[in-house]
Amino acid sequence: MKSCPLENAPSKLSMEARFWTPSWKGKRSSPTRSTMRAYIFQLFAIYLALLTPSKALEPITPPGGQIGTSVEITLQDQNIASFQELITYQPGLTLTDLTPDPKNKKRAKATLVISPDAPLGEHSLRIRTAHDISFLRTFYVGILPTVPETEPNDSPPQFQKIPLNSTVHGIIKTEDQDNFLVSLKKGQRISIEVEAMRLGHTKFDALLELHSPNGKKIAESDDTSLLKTEPYISRIAPADGDYRILLRETSYEGNDQSHYRLHIGTFPRPSSVSPLSGNPGETIEFTFSGDPSGPFKQTFTLPNEPTENFPIFPVSNGQSAPSPHFIRVSPYPHIAQPENNGNRSNPTQLHSIPCTADGVISGNHTSRWFKFYAKKNQNLEFRIFARSLRSPLDSKISIRSSENKFLAGNDDDQNFPDSLVKWNAPEDGEYTIKVEDQLGRTGPDFTFLLEVTEKQPAILATLPTLLRDKSQVGKTFTIPRGNRYAAVIQLKRENIGCAINFSTRNLPPGIRLIAPPVPKSLNSFPIILEASVDAPLSSSLQTYTIQATGDNAPTDLSSPLTDTVHHIEIPNEGIYHSHTSTRIPTAVTEPAPFSISVETPKTPIVKNGKTTLRIRASRADGFKEKITTKFLWNPPGISAPVSVEIPADKSEASYELNANGDAVPATWQVCVTAEANTPHGIQTISSSFIPLSVEDPFVKLSLNFADIEVGKTSTITASIEQLRDFQGNATAKLLSLPHGITAQPVDFSKDQQEISFKITASKDARPSKTGGLLCEVEIPQNGQKILHLTGHGGSLRIDAPEKNKDR
């Protein structure tokens, strides 16, 4: 359990929670509305803290540092005492001199060394301990020296004086605002931008203001498209003097987690870039626009591989902007920004497909037009990249005939922040594309990239989100020595039906991947990673791959396993900052104090039948915690309880599986996971795979209508449809009988076509008509029973005794 973010809140949910009082308690004045909102948010923060698993490394503080320097950081994690290594997704950061806090065993100080060639901007970090891999956290590398915020700085005599070209690290608390002064000369550029929500600490909706030396507000900024939910201001100073910069949370709802990095300097801060695309390995001159000093050009060489969001930092007069612009590195031929395609009569010709084309909706032109030639039944996709590349354009796209008849269109795609149209050409001919803003807005920053491609077979593999609003749970593969870890992989196929192979290369020593072949009917599948008892403690950012296989599958169709975690998720509100990677943290850890095994069933489960898995736990000496088991992945048509507990004083449990009528006959590889609270937090392990055979039923019974008088006996007959041969005698039991009705089991052989159940109505049976009767049939095999549930829908009428009828 991670510690609560509030100093005066209880560290765990207990009786002492009732004694925790709000910060305004006992004060004369009533709380303001914003204080009440902050209090409610803090209560929610406590709730989230209590739900957060132990491996949740706290956000790193300070959240950033200057390139080429060393920064003392604080790391807080359940298992920090067994720290093994810092896992970095980008180069340039190393950790030294880790020193545990003598007063808090979950906290340590360390030195983070930032190399002079470290990439600017956001870095993603994890730590590996001897027992787990932590959640993902961010650290920002900047170009400017860091200055700590000093309190108080709320009122004019206390405004903090800051040297130009500095980064302030501070915290905005409830009903707080931070004020800073910088000295400027007339005509000097002043640029201010903040990293707040992007730090991934908490929901922190920052607002910036810039005031002139005479106190007049020059500019205000809240959300911007370029920085997503973050503000920035860039202006030319109108006079000499000290300018005030104000930073606060928009609703004054800051808290102890509301850290920020405020960049203040004379650096460039353009609002847009063009073009928005280039080819791999290409050297391109980009134009940055929107800076108060005017547009400027800069040349970049693009990476050799296609990249969805490639960052480029604008540099002017040797100074770099703190945050980048993003462009798309695409393998397709590119058309530069057209000049005069603002109406239907003058569209830009797309000469080939696939291709990309730049555009900007500005001036008097509320739309941009393109034309292309398509053949009948040509399967095309039209994508707009705008908001995904930090443009303010809320795109709307439409495909039109040569007579301007609307054929297809889209505003926002469900799984894509911009417009996406999938379309089949109805006939050979020329067509046009219209791109516009949903609200008809225009402006020099309303840039977009149009991408037109033919639909191609595609496959995608992702890790599922296991807990709502807690996407980091289950996103690392940690395998205890001598044990196993299992995960479910989700699949998506487009324009193809194919089987899948899942594989990887160069796993850490001692780890083995077990991944059954995936038939084309499945959209999810399980895998197991197994570590030998002598596997060294180690880790890697591992790339896993899915490969199309089977008849008619393209031999080169593959895709990496991709995962996305969200740093800030607010229930019923949204996601504010995310990280997507194709490298999955995989590590060998110290042994867990328990393991589990599942007994392989000796009989199959049949459609509309059930079976029971026997689970056994092995415990280390002294380990007495309860173990929660879960059936990890359900084959088609198989259902199971969400979880089954093995009590602290037990080592066995039963897991009942049910098969519906649509269960797919096959032998499926299944496993059970188990988790328990250990001295090192909650640990999750897995059983080995066992084969679960799903088969067609042996018999089908149809119950006939029957009646019975209270206090008497009668019979219910059932017709038997023999579907498959079986040996020996089967046993049928009548289920779902109403109160007061009993029935004797009936044995039958594979040659019988009908059986009769003798039923008895006790004197307290109530006259009624009951439906929904069914039979449980046991078919003997290998000394066990195969259970069928059949005969659904039988009915029985219970009549009153004759003497009551006469009355």
Side-chain angles (χ1 to χ4, degrees):
M1 197 72 67
K2 81 174 186 178
S3 61
C4 181
L6 302 181
E7 293 178 359
N8 61 334
S11 61
K12 59 182 178 180
L13 199 58
S14 64
M15 290 296 290
E16 65 185 84
R18 68 182 65 180
F19 301 115
W20 178 56
T21 55
S23 57
W24 69 80
K25 187 77 171 178
K27 295 183 180 180
R28 292 182 181 179
S29 59
S30 299
T32 64
R33 180 176 296 180
S34 62
T35 302
M36 282 294 294
R37 284 197 298 262
Y39 171 56
I40 293 171
F41 180 79
Q42 289 174 343
L43 286 177
F44 177 69
I46 294 173
Y47 170 73
L48 285 184
L50 295 173
L51 288 181
T52 303
S54 60
K55 65 167 60 178
L57 171 70
E58 296 281 350
I60 297 169
T61 56
Q66 184 184 14
I67 192 170
T69 66
S70 297
V71 181
E72 185 182 70
I73 63 171
T74 298
L75 299 174
Q76 185 160 320
D77 183 88
Q78 171 85 4
N79 296 310
I80 192 65
S82 64
F83 173 85
Q84 299 283 304
E85 67 171 327
L86 179 73
I87 299 174
T88 61
Y89 287 73
Q90 297 85 17
L93 300 183
T94 55
L95 199 68
T96 63
D97 304 326
L98 186 133
T99 305
D101 186 336
K103 297 181 179 180
N104 187 340
K105 65 179 182 180
K106 298 180 182 179
R107 183 183 298 141
K109 297 286 187 181
T111 300
L112 189 65
V113 180
I114 308 171
S115 70
D117 58 351
L120 294 177
E122 180 180 328
H123 286 243
S124 297
L125 310 176
R126 298 181 188 266
I127 64 169
R128 178 175 65 84
T129 71
H131 306 283
D132 62 21
I133 300 175
S134 75
F135 281 3
L136 189 80
R137 296 304 182 193
T138 63
F139 186 86
Y140 276 75
V141 174
I143 199 73
L144 305 176
T146 301
V147 176
E149 175 220 357
T150 58
E151 292 282 1
N153 56 19
D154 294 345
S155 57
Q158 301 166 328
F159 293 163
Q160 183 178 351
K161 193 70 178 286
I162 298 295
L164 267 176
N165 297 313
S166 299
T167 295
V168 181
H169 170 218
I171 303 175
I172 293 289
K173 298 188 177 183
T174 305
E175 297 190 345
D176 185 20
Q177 65 177 30
D178 289 348
N179 293 271
F180 307 97
L181 292 177
V182 291
S183 296
L184 296 171
K185 297 293 185 181
K186 181 179 179 180
Q188 197 170 19
R189 175 174 56 199
I190 172 69
S191 295
I192 314 152
E193 71 170 66
V194 66
E195 291 154 359
M197 201 93 79
R198 287 179 289 168
L199 298 178
H201 289 206
T202 188
K203 181 188 176 186
F204 177 11
D205 189 5
L207 180 143
L208 277 177
E209 293 180 6
L210 177 63
H211 296 253
S212 68
N214 62 13
K216 181 180 179 181
K217 184 193 295 186
I218 298 175
E220 178 180 307
S221 178
D222 183 3
D223 298 339
T224 64
S225 300
L226 176 63
L227 305 184
K228 300 182 77 170
T229 57
E230 315 280 41
Y232 72 86
I233 293 171
S234 190
R235 294 289 188 274
I236 301 298
D240 293 355
D242 288 342
Y243 287 73
R244 177 165 72 102
I245 298 164
L246 179 150
L247 172 65
R248 63 177 174 87
E249 204 278 336
T250 53
S251 301
Y252 294 95
E253 295 178 4
N255 59 68
D256 289 350
Q257 299 299 310
S258 297
H259 291 255
Y260 65 81
R261 282 168 49 82
L262 180 65
H263 308 286
I264 305 170
T266 56
F267 52 81
R269 184 60 280 166
S271 55
S272 65
V273 65
S274 62
L276 287 176
S277 178
N279 296 133
E282 187 178 11
T283 298
I284 299 179
E285 185 178 67
F286 291 88
T287 300
F288 292 97
S289 303
D291 186 88
S293 297
F296 59 92
K297 298 181 182 296
Q298 189 176 349
T299 299
F300 293 88
T301 298
L302 302 184
N304 293 324
E305 298 294 332
T307 309
E308 290 187 2
N309 290 280
F310 179 69
I312 55 174
F313 286 83
V315 177
S316 178
N317 297 323
Q319 290 186 295
S320 171
S323 297
H325 295 255
F326 290 91
I327 61 135
R328 186 170 177 83
V329 182
S330 168
Y332 308 131
H334 180 69
I335 298 174
Q337 165 64 40
E339 294 292 335
N340 300 307
N341 66 344
N343 54 66
R344 177 175 168 264
S345 62
N346 193 30
T348 297
Q349 177 70 56
L350 303 180
H351 296 288
S352 63
I353 294 177
C355 68
T356 61
D358 269 290
V360 57
I361 299 178
S362 61
N364 295 325
H365 298 295
T366 59
S367 61
R368 293 293 177 181
W369 293 77
F370 303 85
K371 65 180 179 180
F372 65 96
Y373 182 86
K375 295 182 178 180
K376 184 177 180 178
N377 294 326
Q378 192 172 6
N379 212 349
L380 299 177
E381 288 189 0
F382 305 83
R383 289 179 182 266
I384 295 294
F385 296 90
R387 286 186 293 184
S388 55
L389 294 175
R390 308 294 179 86
S391 168
L393 176 68
D394 183 5
S395 64
K396 180 181 178 182
I397 185 174
S398 57
I399 313 302
R400 298 170 179 269
S401 68
S402 57
E403 293 80 23
N404 203 27
K405 178 183 177 182
F406 176 85
L407 301 175
N410 178 253
D411 175 15
D412 296 335
D413 182 70
Q414 182 179 2
N415 301 310
F416 186 64
D418 296 303
S419 304
L420 167 63
V421 172
K422 298 181 181 181
W423 176 76
N424 286 340
E427 58 185 4
D428 292 1
E430 193 168 74
Y431 300 88
T432 58
I433 306 167
K434 180 183 181 183
V435 181
E436 57 192 321
D437 181 79
Q438 175 71 11
L439 300 177
R441 301 171 301 167
T442 67
D445 293 344
F446 281 61
T447 54
F448 66 88
L449 178 71
L450 168 66
E451 182 178 276
V452 184
T453 60
E454 287 197 71
K455 289 184 183 179
Q456 298 293 330
I459 52 177
L460 176 68
T462 58
L463 288 174
T465 297
L466 302 180
L467 293 178
R468 183 182 178 186
D469 303 317
K470 303 295 290 182
S471 69
Q472 295 228 37
V473 174
K475 297 304 184 71
T476 62
F477 297 164
T478 54
I479 313 105
R481 283 173 167 166
N483 220 314
R484 292 159 296 276
Y485 181 87
V488 169
I489 311 299
Q490 290 183 328
L491 277 177
K492 184 178 180 181
R493 302 174 181 85
E494 293 186 354
N495 307 313
I496 190 173
C498 63
I500 295 291
N501 283 336
F502 184 86
S503 63
T504 189
R505 295 182 178 179
N506 302 320
L507 276 166
I511 298 180
R512 181 169 70 103
L513 171 66
I514 308 165
V518 185
K520 63 181 180 182
S521 59
L522 293 184
N523 292 322
S524 67
F525 62 95
I527 64 162
I528 287 178
L529 290 156
E530 187 175 73
S532 63
V533 293
D534 58 352
L537 300 185
S538 61
S539 71
S540 70
L541 288 174
Q542 193 73 23
T543 299
Y544 298 88
T545 303
I546 57 171
Q547 176 80 42
T549 186
D551 295 340
N552 302 319
T555 57
D556 60 346
L557 182 57
S558 63
S559 177
L561 173 62
T562 302
D563 181 50
T564 299
V565 300
H566 310 303
H567 291 293
I568 301 176
E569 303 171 82
I570 307 300
N572 302 317
E573 190 168 325
I575 295 165
Y576 287 90
H577 193 57
S578 302
H579 167 90
T580 297
S581 177
T582 58
R583 294 178 291 167
I584 310 301
T586 304
V588 178
T589 62
E590 289 284 8
F594 66 105
S595 62
I596 60 166
S597 61
V598 181
E599 182 180 310
T600 301
K602 295 180 180 179
T603 57
I605 183 173
V606 296
K607 293 182 178 181
N608 293 316
K610 60 183 180 180
T611 192
T612 299
L613 298 182
R614 306 295 180 186
I615 303 171
R616 293 184 177 87
S618 296
R619 299 174 181 269
D621 291 342
F623 184 69
K624 301 292 186 181
E625 297 290 332
K626 73 175 182 181
I627 299 172
T628 301
T629 65
K630 298 179 181 179
F631 195 62
L632 178 68
W633 172 82
N634 293 14
I638 304 296
S639 62
V642 174
S643 63
V644 172
E645 286 189 357
I646 302 177
D649 59 344
K650 304 291 183 182
S651 293
E652 294 188 3
S654 297
Y655 220 118
E656 184 175 275
L657 307 182
N658 290 274
N660 63 29
D662 295 324
V664 178
T667 297
W668 304 99
Q669 297 297 316
V670 298
C671 65
V672 172
T673 63
E675 67 178 28
N677 195 16
T678 75
H680 304 289
I682 295 175
Q683 287 190 276
T684 302
I685 52 98
S686 164
S687 71
S688 298
F689 277 129
I690 62 165
L692 178 68
S693 179
V694 180
E695 296 183 1
D696 289 317
F698 287 82
V699 296
K700 178 180 178 182
L701 271 61
S702 299
L703 287 169
N704 299 316
F705 171 78
D707 57 16
I708 189 171
E709 186 178 318
V710 173
K712 299 291 183 67
T713 62
S714 183
T715 59
I716 296 179
T717 61
S719 301
I720 303 173
E721 182 181 357
Q722 300 283 355
L723 303 176
R724 299 164 58 197
D725 284 345
F726 59 89
Q727 301 297 317
N729 285 331
T731 300
K733 300 176 183 178
L734 205 54
L735 304 181
S736 302
L737 291 168
H739 175 74
I741 305 296
T742 58
Q744 296 297 317
V746 177
D747 292 341
F748 64 94
S749 70
K750 65 182 179 63
D751 299 319
Q752 288 182 242
Q753 297 181 351
E754 184 178 271
I755 57 175
S756 295
F757 294 95
K758 181 181 178 180
I759 58 174
T760 302
S762 65
K763 292 183 179 181
D764 60 349
R766 294 183 179 181
S768 61
K769 185 174 182 179
T770 301
L773 303 185
L774 74 157
C775 291
E776 180 183 85
V777 176
E778 297 177 345
I779 304 289
Q781 189 179 95
N782 297 329
Q784 297 188 2
K785 306 292 185 181
I786 303 173
L787 298 180
H788 295 56
L789 293 176
T790 183
H792 298 76
S795 60
L796 172 67
R797 189 185 71 226
I798 304 173
D799 296 328
E802 286 292 335
K803 61 180 180 179
N804 292 336
K805 292 181 180 180
D806 294 341
R807 294 179 184 177

